Amino acid sequence: MEFGTSGMLNEDGIHVDMDRLKKGEVNLGTSIMAITFKDGVILGADSRTTTGAYIANRVTDKLTQVHDTIWCCRSGSAADTQAVADIVQYQLAMYGTMNGKPPTTQTAAAMFQELCYENKDRLSAGLIIAGWDERHGGQVYSIPAGGSLHKQAYSIGGSGSTYIYGYCDANWKEGMEESQAVDFVKGALQEAIKWDGSSGGVIRMVVLTKKGANRHLYLPDSDYKIRHQ
Amino acid sequence: MTSIGTGYDLSNSVFSPDGRNFQVEYAVKAVENGGTSIGIRCKDGVVLAVEKVITSKLLKPGANKRIATIDRHMGAVSSGLVPDGRHFVSRAREEASSWRKVYKSPISTSDLASRMGGYLQAYTLYSSVRPFGITAIVAGWDSEVETPVDAQVGNGPSIGSGGKAEGKKYGGPGLYMIEPSGIYWGYYGAATGKGRQTAKAELEKLDLAAGTLSLEDGVKEAARIIYVAHDDNKDKEFELEMTWISNLEGPTKGRHQEVPKELLEEAERLAKKALEGDDDDEETTDKPEDKMEE
Amino acid sequence: MNHLPQAWGRPRDDVYGPYDASYLQSSHGPNQHTQSPIVTGTSVIALKFKDGVVIAADNLASYGSLARFTDVKRLRKFADSTVVGFGGDVSDMQYLDRLLISLDTEEAYSSSGHTLNAKNLHTYLAKVFYKRRSDFNPLWNQVLVAGLDGEKKPFLASADLLGTTFTSPSLATGFGAHLAQPLLRKVAPDEEAAAKLTREQAIEAVKESMKVLFYRDARSLDKYSIAVVTKDGIDLKEDEQLEKQSWAFAEGIRGYGTQVN
């Protein structure tokens, strides 16, 4: 796809991320989300990566660890978001060793934002940062294209997210139990995968609490019912 | 001094055979001649006070402040060479603002002390520089509540975040003293400059470790201690300069500010009164001089 | 002749043949920055009255037509004496907010007790905007600065991504410039009229304008922030809900012309 020159958003305004891709670039078509719950946060994502209509990877892992209990969901350009996540992972490791205490989620979010904002002309990245730390518990921050930073109770992102705004708004509850929260994420991602051609494959989740990071995996051939990891 | 004539004191970054850096020790001498500075860590805030010796009657009273703001929530004072103190402040401000640029939140008092400790230490390593002729006291209040990222938009769940570790306390008052060698420690009460020994003795009487002294009482004690410590130096006139940082509920709302005029004057009045009382019983006692020369 | 800046100082094509761009260090010609806002806030409106200024903006940040974030507070306090209302790109708003935090910190370095007033702040912001547009890297905002000037008189002025500034007893950005400004001008056509307005009258006029904006601006929200700035400080409310809307008349509307049922 060519860069637009009009300086205007597309009329539907939603596919900004996709239009910002460079020629032939691998796109995380994507449905991603992260939510807060009673004991921490849960990140969730589909596993489809596309170049145009071709599925370049059907088992992608879009949930990326940047510190022990700070992770992010990546959408937009795979190359750009991997590069950004790698830089922040390095910076957080430095922070942890130099200050003798683990970084907080907002520290990570601030670092992500600085990179996304200062390089907005060159990046196509839509990130959700979710983490748990002793002082603040579970927190979710969203960094959409352009590089603004938004604290949220839960956040959804990627092209598939537009199909589940209604589902999430109607079913969202604050302070859910873990099992209830996992069901919420799974239910939302199932809908996104169903309606968005650029999302698909397996559902991956990471649960972040004081006990650390815990991965979940659900497969389409068992209708996402059985936990495989 | 044993160092004189040996040559080991002439260059920074050169040890004497018995493992001393004489340039650092001479820097400490410069500090010992400076006006007394103190800091008191109270339960709901921190106080800084300095005995500003008046070097000329032609100077405007109250001008040329000696206590500086490092960041909104942090201040510093130093004893020793005033220009070195100014450079210390300027570097500390850079550290605080670069921290904010990277982390989008205020630097903690301990982190600033650590950075400045590292900075001063570097000035003991090179022959092209000399150590700082100051000992600085840094005071700050680290937010006791969760603070948003600078310029945050959005709030997260209305019930607050889940999964926090129970029963832990965060933030509070911070007080650090950094010496010419780059060494720094956290203190309940800190004193440096000419009257430090008297001041330290007075600070020890306050039982600051108990953490019960209120900020307002701390201001009054600080004023009194500066006056008591000045007693050794009676022939010189001085001005008392004081700043404070309270908790978020307190009078400064977590910001570093000058102690208001009324409270400062009240504290000075009480200090003078306390001093007059003292003078009655120990007018003639000789003060022990802390000479270290040979 | 080619007058485009890219051709300045280069050998003429008609004499020397076209320039071989592969010799360029960068293949994409001159430096380009992103030149469009992405996550955006809509109108900001404000009105002076006898003791100060009322300013309001809704709590929505849009992503194109998507109502993406519904809790974005676009009125920002400065030094407990000035409010800046931001329209346009939210990431640039956050950048400017941090710039103002550092400005406030630097002000506190000198303990003169002097703080920057709204007029000073507006001048500063306008210069930042103008510098950035001259670097071809504009901050994509239009802002209203509300507070008091050096004489403690109500102050209201606008600055935008080009560095353009103006002032008036009432101001509105974006859609508000079309829909709210005429309503506010009716209440305060000039400075004399504004100086007679009471606080209550001004708040009423601003709330009424927010309602019209919600009816007619497709990028607006019924949750909003409103601030009143006076000598006594800032009264900022960030979770207001539009009240007394008028929709019931829809019942009387049937068909689109001749239909009666």
Side-chain angles (χ1 to χ4, degrees):
Chain A
M1 197 171 288
E2 289 293 324
F3 276 114
T5 50
S6 68
M8 300 293 286
L9 296 176
N10 279 2
E11 191 44 42
D12 66 10
I14 301 306
H15 297 100
V16 176
D17 287 6
M18 286 171 66
D19 290 348
R20 290 165 61 82
L21 286 177
K22 289 131 205 152
K23 232 177 198 170
E25 194 167 29
V26 176
N27 179 20
L28 291 172
T30 303
S31 299
I32 51 169
M33 65 191 296
I35 70 165
T36 58
F37 74 105
K38 193 169 129 271
D39 303 321
V41 288
I42 302 178
L43 302 88
D46 73 318
S47 70
R48 181 168 290 185
T49 301
T50 53
T51 33
Y54 177 66
I55 299 168
N57 185 353
R58 65 190 182 102
V59 287
T60 320
D61 183 11
K62 301 174 190 178
L63 306 179
T64 304
Q65 187 177 33
V66 289
H67 203 81
D68 299 359
T69 54
I70 305 173
W71 291 57
C72 67
C73 312
R74 299 179 293 111
S75 81
S77 151
D80 288 0
T81 54
Q82 285 174 13
V84 168
D86 288 351
I87 292 168
V88 173
Q89 185 186 45
Y90 165 77
Q91 287 177 335
L92 290 176
M94 289 301 287
Y95 182 102
T97 45
M98 290 183 68
N99 297 300
K101 61 195 170 210
T104 61
T105 311
Q106 55 249 55
T107 299
M111 289 171 169
F112 270 112
Q113 193 202 8
E114 186 72 8
L115 288 167
C116 291
Y117 180 72
E118 292 298 336
N119 301 294
K120 61 157 82 181
D121 354 354
R122 285 175 286 181
L123 293 174
S124 45
L127 299 164
I128 299 172
I129 321 301
W132 176 90
D133 63 76
E134 265 193 0
R135 182 170 186 180
H136 306 88
Q139 286 182 290
V140 169
Y141 291 89
S142 171
I143 304 176
S148 52
L149 178 67
H150 303 257
K151 188 176 183 188
Q152 295 194 280
Y154 73 92
S155 185
I156 55 179
S159 56
S161 70
T162 54
Y163 303 95
I164 56 169
Y165 270 83
Y167 180 95
C168 291
D169 191 51
N171 293 101
W172 169 251
K173 284 181 202 69
E174 290 188 345
M176 285 188 281
E177 293 293 334
E178 183 171 330
S179 62
Q180 211 184 349
V182 167
D183 288 345
F184 173 81
V185 173
K186 205 202 287 175
L189 290 176
Q190 263 183 279
E191 288 299 315
I193 286 170
K194 192 193 288 178
W195 301 113
D196 180 25
S198 302
S199 303
V202 306
I203 292 177
R204 295 184 191 278
M205 285 188 217
V206 169
V207 181
L208 260 26
T209 61
K210 67 172 176 222
K211 287 183 245 160
N214 189 206
R215 267 192 186 274
H216 290 219
L217 175 66
Y218 302 93
L219 307 181
D221 50 356
S222 54
D223 208 17
Y224 305 108
K225 283 201 175 77
I226 306 154
R227 183 178 166 187
H228 288 265
Q229 189 178 35
Chain B
M1 274 198 173
T2 48
S3 54
I4 294 167
T6 62
Y8 291 110
D9 64 333
L10 298 178
S11 174
N12 196 15
S13 84
V14 171
F15 278 123
S16 79
D18 47 352
R20 297 158 66 179
N21 180 337
F22 285 111
Q23 283 298 314
V24 169
E25 292 184 24
Y26 296 164
V28 171
K29 289 282 162 201
V31 174
E32 287 170 0
N33 289 325
T36 314
S37 303
I38 63 166
I40 302 179
R41 189 175 172 280
C42 308
K43 69 169 177 204
D44 50 351
V46 204
V47 193
L48 288 176
V50 62
E51 168 207 28
K52 198 170 88 186
V53 180
I54 295 169
T55 50
S56 163
K57 286 201 191 312
L58 296 173
L59 288 168
K60 185 183 170 196
N64 306 310
K65 296 290 184 211
R66 285 278 305 281
I67 312 181
T69 299
I70 302 301
D71 199 340
R72 290 174 164 197
H73 63 297
M74 197 178 289
V77 66
S78 59
S79 293
L81 306 181
V82 175
D84 288 25
R86 295 232 174 87
H87 180 69
F88 177 94
V89 165
S90 140
R91 176 68 187 201
R93 283 171 176 170
E94 281 173 25
E95 291 290 352
S97 81
S98 83
W99 181 282
R100 268 199 198 256
K101 172 104 181 120
V102 176
Y103 301 117
K104 284 148 181 75
S105 62
I107 191 170
S108 70
T109 320
S110 64
D111 284 323
L112 186 103
S114 159
R115 296 243 177 143
M116 293 311 294
Y119 187 66
L120 262 61
Q121 195 278 145
Y123 279 75
T124 68
L125 298 174
Y126 303 95
S127 55
S128 53
V129 294
R130 60 167 176 77
F132 276 66
I134 56 157
T135 286
I137 300 173
V138 176
W141 181 272
D142 303 330
S143 177
E144 65 273 42
V145 300
E146 285 175 33
T147 47
V149 177
D150 284 354
Q152 177 172 305
V153 295
N155 292 110
S158 63
I159 54 170
S161 301
K164 290 176 205 176
E166 302 273 320
K168 292 210 171 182
K169 283 201 168 161
Y170 300 92
L175 182 67
Y176 290 81
M177 188 158 77
I178 308 161
E179 295 172 37
S181 63
I183 201 169
Y184 70 96
W185 302 108
Y187 289 88
Y188 292 114
T192 184
K194 198 164 215 160
R196 69 198 173 284
Q197 285 184 342
T198 317
K200 278 178 191 170
E202 290 296 323
L203 286 167
E204 278 168 21
K205 287 183 207 160
L206 296 177
D207 189 21
L208 294 167
T212 51
L213 186 71
S214 75
L215 181 58
E216 201 161 313
D217 288 343
V219 166
K220 289 168 185 166
E221 291 295 350
R224 187 182 62 78
I225 292 170
I226 290 292
Y227 269 84
V228 172
H230 178 74
D231 232 25
D232 304 337
N233 199 12
K234 249 180 175 164
D235 48 324
K236 287 194 182 117
E237 278 192 56
F238 78 103
E239 272 175 24
L240 172 64
E241 193 182 315
M242 284 203 288
T243 63
W244 61 350
I245 313 147
S246 78
N247 62 15
L248 295 176
E249 279 84 53
T252 81
K253 299 187 176 69
R255 293 184 71 136
H256 176 246
Q257 286 170 350
E258 280 176 30
V259 171
K261 197 160 164 274
E262 302 76 49
L263 180 56
L264 183 89
E265 282 168 1
E266 167 72 357
E268 273 193 289
R269 192 183 62 76
L270 291 172
K272 283 175 191 159
K273 203 170 137 198
L275 212 60
E276 281 160 21
D278 277 2
D279 278 359
D280 293 340
D281 8 282
E282 48 174 346
E283 184 111 56
T284 50
T285 41
D286 261 344
K287 292 283 182 313
E289 293 278 303
D290 65 299
K291 278 207 178 118
M292 280 184 69
E293 277 148 314
E294 293 183 356
Chain C
M1 276 285 279
N2 186 349
H3 297 276
L4 288 173
Q6 291 96 316
W8 291 353
R10 297 201 176 285
R12 284 171 55 177
D13 286 1
D14 53 339
V15 179
Y16 300 98
Y19 188 77
D20 182 357
S22 65
Y23 288 105
L24 275 174
Q25 287 296 108
S26 62
S27 55
H28 49 71
N31 278 332
Q32 290 187 339
H33 298 284
T34 303
Q35 299 307 350
S36 66
I38 298 175
V39 178
T40 58
T42 184
S43 325
V44 187
I45 62 170
L47 172 62
K48 283 204 232 178
F49 65 101
K50 67 175 168 144
D51 302 318
V53 190
V54 182
I55 182 168
D58 72 21
N59 293 350
L60 180 66
S62 301
Y63 188 71
S65 64
L66 175 66
R68 181 70 182 81
F69 303 101
T70 56
D71 59 353
V72 174
K73 314 295 160 64
R74 298 191 287 122
L75 300 185
R76 299 273 156 174
K77 281 202 241 187
F78 180 83
D80 292 322
S81 58
T82 302
V83 173
V84 185
F86 288 87
D89 193 275
V90 173
S91 67
D92 289 336
M93 172 183 93
Q94 289 184 306
Y95 169 80
L96 283 167
D97 198 12
R98 290 190 187 121
L99 194 67
L100 294 182
I101 290 173
S102 73
L103 183 67
D104 181 49
T105 307
E106 284 160 26
E107 277 299 296
Y109 288 167
S110 75
S111 52
S112 60
H114 175 265
T115 51
L116 295 174
N117 60 40
K119 198 177 178 186
N120 302 144
L121 199 64
H122 174 256
T123 307
Y124 178 82
L125 283 169
K127 301 232 168 212
V128 172
F129 279 126
Y130 182 70
K131 165 75 168 66
R132 287 292 293 265
R133 84 99 221 195
S134 301
D135 293 342
F136 300 99
N137 189 198
L139 291 162
W140 216 280
N141 302 100
Q142 193 175 358
V143 303
L144 298 186
V145 183
L148 303 170
D149 64 13
E151 272 91 56
K152 300 267 178 212
K153 287 225 256 315
F155 176 86
L156 173 62
S158 141
D160 70 9
L161 69 168
L162 301 176
T164 319
T165 61
F166 45 91
T167 179
S168 161
S170 65
L171 284 171
T173 73
F175 237 79
H178 301 93
L179 290 173
Q181 187 68 268
L183 300 168
L184 296 172
R185 273 197 198 139
K186 221 176 230 179
V187 182
D190 49 33
E191 291 287 351
E192 288 72 43
K196 286 188 188 116
L197 283 180
T198 66
R199 179 190 180 110
E200 289 69 30
Q201 283 172 317
I203 292 174
E204 176 64 21
V206 165
K207 285 189 172 177
E208 205 52 39
S209 300
M210 288 304 285
K211 203 157 50 182
V212 173
L213 282 170
F214 179 61
Y215 290 152
R216 296 292 175 173
D217 178 2
R219 304 288 174 268
S220 73
L221 192 69
D222 55 354
K223 278 197 309 181
Y224 67 101
S225 308
I226 186 166
V228 184
V229 197
T230 60
K231 271 199 274 286
D232 304 324
I234 298 167
D235 178 19
L236 173 63
K237 297 194 183 92
E238 292 187 312
D239 279 301
E240 295 292 282
Q241 176 77 31
L242 278 186
E243 283 167 350
K244 288 179 275 177
Q245 292 179 41
S246 157
W247 291 102
F249 70 95
E251 200 183 345
I253 312 286
R254 281 142 200 243
Y256 46 86
T258 54
Q259 189 176 316
V260 287
N261 291 309

